[in-house]
């Protein structure tokens, strides 16, 4: 019964999305009333909610007549992971995707934007929604029946039952991915809407900021989850699916900054970045759900690959044709070379260059097999030699750009950040010799943080002390992430060895002694753990118990590392193997300095973006006449964006037409 109702809800959602697209097209072409189209968007969302609710009910009731439940549910699965198993596999995750996409569509439908611009944008969003409903209904229907009906299921992948982030990370990531559909839709709608489309950039900014903040939080939480669960001691491996989340983040960051200030001379650039960001989301969806790449994060082989790839190509063609209809504008006088707009533009180009480098490394293995007969591998060394140096330059320019606001005093304002960077490089280089890449990153981060401190002092002296703080917080978070990455890479130490009971393994002043091995069995499987006496560099002792858990239903063994977190470094202990007689164990011991700055920096960056999105939304709702003479609004969220640029009336007026 639940299976039939679920399939019917997907069919209803497909019909509603199709009808909604046609109704919005009618509004755009003939000026028809928008109320029926708004009701259609709401009905589409209701269909997505119904589909998710029905599958959740089937999972919680252990209705194994539904194929998705038979393949991913289980009677022994804890309640929390039974709920989150909705998005633990391909078919169910598409329902969460539809729920988030339908929510954005319904929210956008309620906005009071210029009629033609709004209608064409809703046509785009509704068409995207229609495609994914069709994908779920015909190619990845989680409600298909199974016969014979099994008595129990294997539960979700054991790795997805090891950490509570399973309930937060995928929804956040989807909210970031799919939020970029609104700037994409507005950018495509602007040339079709004529004069009504000239303010699309101002309308797109709050949506882009909110999506960017969610995507930032999702990427950061995913790195933490990987660090805490996978047992290898790292947080980013340049995995193809990790790269798929990074690509739209880079282009969205570039869009947020080049779209600020007087953006008239960058109209084509802004449109390209807005459309490219969502096209990269679609490309990431293809990589994740087609089985094209091998990854612990990716879903298995599926029939969705050709359809997703076709939709990506269609999006590219439609974007190129639609945005190519723009009317040529007279040439404008360029900004001076040593100026803030130039620094912002150069940083945007660098971010796009990093995205291109990462994209090449991600898709090259896919192209090498059909073209050369052998599937090539692109390892972390490629990204460290190409993307990392460019990222360091982005940090430096992010510190330079704010000082160039006042060109008369720009060089003098760079004196303190420059001195801080040189002092950091000198002190750190003499004391620890971390290597040139890390040393350069430390200097760039110090340069950026010192510049931010100067901006903070200026704002605290001003009458309105909260103006621009969102951007400062986000920038500071990025600098902390850079310090965390450089520090953990340069100073991290690890060792691996087999130790018998009573023996010790040491690295970087930290040691573990094997006190014994414990074995246990339960309904969910078997576990073996090592009791280790951990002695820190300061002489403190504690017992840690890394483990291996075997799940017979999935025939999979997962690692459960033990992490001793300190203020300046983590001690990371992984159990690799245990002897049959329990007399010895193979252990990996790692010391990861400054890794906590990654999580703190990521949280600050996401928080700054969220506050900036709220500020941008308030600024958009404020009547135009109230912006004159007011202090700028805090809507900047990434490198070199500031409130002064965001509040510039030229950014969203006729000059910024798409």
């Amino acid at each position: 019964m639940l299976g039939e109702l679920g399939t019917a809800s997907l069919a209803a959602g497909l019909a509603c999305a199709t009808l909604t697209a046609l109704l919005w097209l009618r509004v755009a072409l003939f000026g028809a009333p928008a109320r029926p189209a708004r009701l259609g968007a709401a009905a589409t969302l209701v269909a997505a909610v119904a589909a998710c609710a029905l599958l959740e009910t089937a999972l919680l009731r252990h209705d194994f007549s539904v194929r998705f439940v038979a393949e991913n549910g289980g009677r022994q699965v804890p309640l929390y992971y039974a709920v989150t198993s909705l998005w633990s596999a391909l078919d169910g995750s598409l329902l969460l995707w539809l729920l988030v996409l339908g929510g954005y569509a319904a929210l956008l439908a309620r906005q009071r934007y210029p009629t033609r611009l709004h209608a064409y944008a809703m046509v785009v969003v509704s068409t995207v929604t229609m495609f994914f409903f069709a994908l779920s209904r015909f190619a990845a229907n989680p409600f298909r029946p199974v016969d014979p009906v099994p008595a129990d299921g294997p539960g979700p992948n054991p790795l997805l039952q090891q950490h509570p982030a399973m309930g937060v990370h995928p929804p956040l990531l989807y909210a970031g991915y799919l939020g970029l559909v609104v700037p994409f839709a507005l950018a495509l709608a602007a040339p079709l809407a004529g004069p009504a489309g000239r303010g699309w950039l101002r309308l797109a900014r709050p949506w882009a900021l909110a999506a960017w903040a969610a995507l930032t939080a999702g990427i950061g939480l995913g790195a933490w989850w990987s660090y805490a669960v996978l047992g290898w001691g790292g947080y980013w491996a340049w995995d193809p699916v990790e790269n798929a989340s990074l690509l739209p983040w880079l282009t969205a960051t570039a869009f947020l900054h080049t779209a600020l200030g007087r953006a008239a001379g960058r109209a084509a650039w802004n449109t390209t970045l807005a459309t490219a960001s969502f096209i990269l989301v679609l490309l990431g969806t293809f990589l994740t759900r087609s089985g094209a790449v091998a990854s612990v994060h990716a879903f298995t082989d599926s029939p969705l690959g050709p359809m997703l790839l076709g939709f990506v190509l269609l999006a590219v063609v439609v974007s190129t044709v639609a945005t190519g209809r723009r009317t040529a504008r007279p040439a404008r006088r360029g900004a001076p070379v040593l100026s803030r707009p130039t620094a912002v533009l150069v940083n945007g180009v660098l971010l796009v260059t990093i995205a291109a480098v990462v994209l090449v490394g991600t898709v090259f293995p896919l192209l090498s097999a059909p073209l050369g007969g052998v599937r090539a591998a692109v390892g972390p060394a490629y990204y460290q030699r190409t993307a990392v140096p460019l990222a360091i330059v982005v940090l430096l320019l992010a510190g330079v750009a704010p000082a160039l606001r006042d060109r008369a005093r720009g060089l003098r304002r760079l004196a303190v950040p420059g001195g801080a960077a040189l002092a950091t490089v000198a002190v750190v280089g003499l004391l620890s010799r971390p290597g040139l890449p890390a040393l350069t990153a430390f200097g760039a981060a110090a340069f950026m943080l010192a510049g931010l401190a100067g901006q903070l002092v200026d704002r605290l002296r001003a009458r309105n002390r909260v103006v621009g703080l969102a951007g400062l917080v986000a920038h500071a978070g990025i600098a902390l992430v850079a310090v965390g990455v450089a520090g953990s890479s340069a100073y991290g130490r690890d060792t691996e060895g087999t130790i018998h009971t009573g023996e010790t393994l040491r690295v970087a002043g930290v040691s573990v002694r094997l006190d014994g091995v414990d074995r246990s069995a339960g309904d969910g499987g078997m576990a073996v753990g090592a009791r280790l006496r951990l002695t820190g560099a300061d002489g403190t002792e504690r017992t840690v118990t890394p483990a291996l858990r075997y799940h017979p239903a999935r025939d999979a063994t997962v690692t459960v590392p033990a992490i001793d977190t300190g203020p300046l470094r983590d001690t990371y202990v992984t159990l690799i193997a245990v002897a049959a007689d329990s007399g010895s164990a193979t252990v990996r011991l790692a010391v990861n300095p400054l890794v906590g700055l990654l999580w703190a920096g990521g949280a600050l960056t996401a928080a700054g973006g969220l506050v900036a999105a709220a500020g941008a939304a308030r600024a958009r709702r404020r009547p135009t006449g109230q912006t004159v003479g007011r202090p700028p609004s805090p809507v900047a969220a990434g490198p070199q964006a500031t409130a002064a640029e965001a509040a510039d009336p030229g950014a969203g007026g006729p000059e910024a037409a798409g």
Side-chain angles (χ1 to χ4, degrees):
M1 181 64 178
L2 289 175
E4 289 82 356
L5 289 175
T7 299
S9 67
L10 292 176
L14 175 59
C16 288
T18 305
L19 180 61
T20 301
L22 294 174
L23 288 172
W24 280 112
L25 185 61
R26 180 169 169 260
V27 173
L29 294 177
F30 306 110
R35 179 175 173 78
R38 290 193 174 96
L39 291 176
T44 305
L45 175 59
V46 169
V49 171
C52 289
L54 288 166
L55 189 57
E56 283 286 15
T57 301
L59 286 165
L60 296 176
R61 290 176 54 182
H62 308 303
D63 186 352
F64 297 111
S65 65
V66 177
R67 183 174 296 276
F68 185 85
V69 181
E71 294 175 350
N72 301 280
R75 300 185 186 278
Q76 303 301 323
V77 179
L79 176 61
Y80 179 79
Y81 294 108
V83 173
T84 62
S85 60
L86 173 72
W87 49 85
S88 65
L90 172 64
D91 298 356
S93 73
L94 273 177
L95 295 191
L96 177 62
W97 186 273
L98 285 171
L99 179 64
V100 177
L101 181 57
Y104 275 118
L107 190 59
L108 179 62
R110 293 174 57 87
Q111 304 304 307
R112 301 295 177 179
Y113 294 161
T115 301
R116 293 195 70 202
L117 175 67
H118 190 200
Y120 278 122
M122 282 303 305
V123 170
V124 174
V125 174
S126 299
T127 301
V128 173
T129 307
M130 178 178 64
F131 169 76
F132 281 103
F133 261 111
L135 207 62
S136 184
R137 170 62 183 86
F138 298 112
N141 185 354
F143 296 102
R144 290 171 297 170
V146 60
D147 186 36
V149 178
D152 200 356
N157 187 319
L159 282 173
L160 305 181
Q161 302 182 56
Q162 298 294 111
H163 201 279
M166 177 60 184
V168 185
H169 166 63
L172 268 179
L173 208 58
Y174 285 13
Y177 279 152
L178 293 167
L180 295 173
V181 73
V182 179
F184 170 78
L186 289 169
L188 292 186
L192 299 173
R198 291 178 178 174
W200 78 271
L201 205 57
R202 176 176 56 88
L203 303 179
R205 190 177 301 130
W207 298 91
L209 278 166
W212 182 87
L215 188 55
T216 301
I219 292 173
L221 188 59
W224 177 53
W225 186 9
S226 175
Y227 178 75
V229 167
L230 294 183
W232 63 294
Y235 44 80
W236 192 268
W238 296 105
D239 179 278
V241 179
E242 292 174 345
N243 293 349
S245 66
L246 180 63
L247 287 168
W249 185 90
L250 289 168
T251 53
T253 304
F255 169 73
L256 285 173
H257 305 97
T258 59
L260 295 170
R262 299 190 178 277
R266 301 191 293 266
W269 180 239
N270 295 327
T271 302
T272 300
L273 290 175
T275 55
S277 295
F278 188 67
I279 289 173
L280 288 173
V281 168
L282 296 176
L283 178 62
T285 307
F286 163 73
L287 293 175
T288 307
R289 289 172 166 78
S290 65
V293 297
S295 166
V296 69
H297 305 88
F299 297 106
T300 54
D301 291 343
S302 76
L304 274 63
M307 289 175 281
L308 284 169
L309 183 59
F311 195 65
V312 172
L313 297 176
L314 177 64
V316 172
V317 172
V318 170
S319 300
T320 303
V321 172
T323 59
R325 298 176 68 249
R326 298 178 179 277
T327 303
R329 293 182 174 272
R332 296 178 178 268
R333 183 172 59 88
V337 174
L338 192 62
S339 67
R340 194 158 179 272
T342 299
V344 170
L345 184 59
V346 170
N347 238 2
V349 172
L350 287 173
L351 287 167
V352 173
T353 304
I354 295 172
V357 167
V358 175
L359 180 62
V360 169
T362 304
V363 303
F364 180 73
L366 305 181
L367 301 177
S368 62
L371 295 179
V374 178
R375 186 171 183 128
V378 177
Y382 163 78
Y383 301 101
Q384 291 165 3
R385 293 173 183 172
T386 54
V388 171
L390 292 172
I392 293 173
V393 178
V394 168
L395 282 177
L396 286 171
L397 281 178
V400 169
L404 297 180
R405 184 191 309 173
D406 182 359
R407 277 180 285 162
R409 297 188 301 151
L411 294 179
R412 282 182 291 173
R413 291 173 65 91
L414 292 175
V416 173
L422 292 175
T424 299
V425 169
V427 172
V428 174
L430 289 173
L431 293 179
S432 61
R433 301 184 183 277
L436 183 60
L439 197 59
T440 307
F442 286 141
F447 184 88
M448 185 175 177
L449 288 171
L452 293 174
Q455 294 179 63
L456 179 61
V457 170
D458 292 342
R459 281 161 174 74
L460 292 177
R461 289 174 178 171
R463 184 166 53 185
N464 189 343
R465 297 186 176 186
V466 299
V467 169
L469 289 184
L472 295 183
V473 169
H475 300 150
I478 291 173
L480 290 180
V481 169
V483 174
V485 171
S488 59
S489 300
Y491 300 124
R493 298 291 182 269
D494 66 88
T495 188
E496 181 181 318
T498 300
I499 52 177
H500 293 79
T501 303
E503 293 182 344
T504 300
L505 186 68
R506 295 182 176 85
V507 67
V510 176
S511 65
V512 289
R513 185 188 69 206
L514 180 62
D515 288 342
V517 172
D518 301 315
R519 299 178 185 271
S520 61
D523 294 335
M526 296 168 284
V528 56
R531 282 181 285 110
L532 297 165
R533 175 64 62 175
L534 172 64
T535 303
D538 57 357
T540 58
E541 294 186 351
R542 59 166 295 187
T543 298
V544 296
T545 55
L548 294 170
R549 292 179 183 168
Y550 176 69
H551 296 257
R554 289 280 182 180
D555 191 22
T557 300
V558 298
T559 301
V560 184
I563 306 174
D564 182 37
T565 301
L568 295 179
R569 63 181 185 175
D570 288 358
T571 302
Y572 197 102
V573 188
T574 308
L575 180 61
I576 298 175
V578 174
D581 61 359
S582 300
S584 65
T586 302
V587 176
R588 180 181 181 273
L589 176 63
V591 175
N592 300 327
L594 302 179
V595 73
L597 293 179
L598 280 167
W599 324 133
L604 280 178
T605 304
L610 189 61
V611 174
R618 288 195 301 270
R620 188 193 63 78
R621 290 193 296 266
R622 185 183 303 129
T624 304
Q626 294 183 19
T627 62
V628 179
R630 293 179 62 92
S633 300
V635 300
Q640 77 276 62
T642 68
E645 285 183 315
D648 189 341
E655 296 176 339

